[in-house]
Amino acid sequence: MAVIGVLTKPTPPSWWAINKHRVWGVLGLVLGFMLCTEVHSGASEHQPQRPRPGHTAPATPAPTPR
């Protein structure tokens, strides 16, 4: 019986091979959050502020003449 090769344990995967899906997921969430907050806050800063109507009581209708 001839020994063709030496049986060894395979090298364990590196840290990157184990955790790369987590790293990409976190980076995607952070970039998505940054893009969403930048779009919403940036649009309101560049638009001129329009005056809004104040809260007042509605006018009572005048009686119609007959």
Side-chain angles (χ1 to χ4, degrees), residues 15-57:
W15 182 91
W16 176 250
I18 295 171
N19 297 310
K20 66 182 169 186
H21 66 283
R22 293 179 185 159
V23 171
W24 289 121
V26 169
L27 283 175
L29 288 172
V30 169
L31 287 175
F33 177 76
M34 289 174 64
L35 283 174
C36 288
T37 56
E38 185 67 27
V39 168
H40 290 298
S41 66
S44 63
E45 291 174 2
H46 298 296
Q47 293 178 350
Q49 296 292 330
R50 296 181 182 172
R52 295 184 177 184
H55 296 284
T56 60

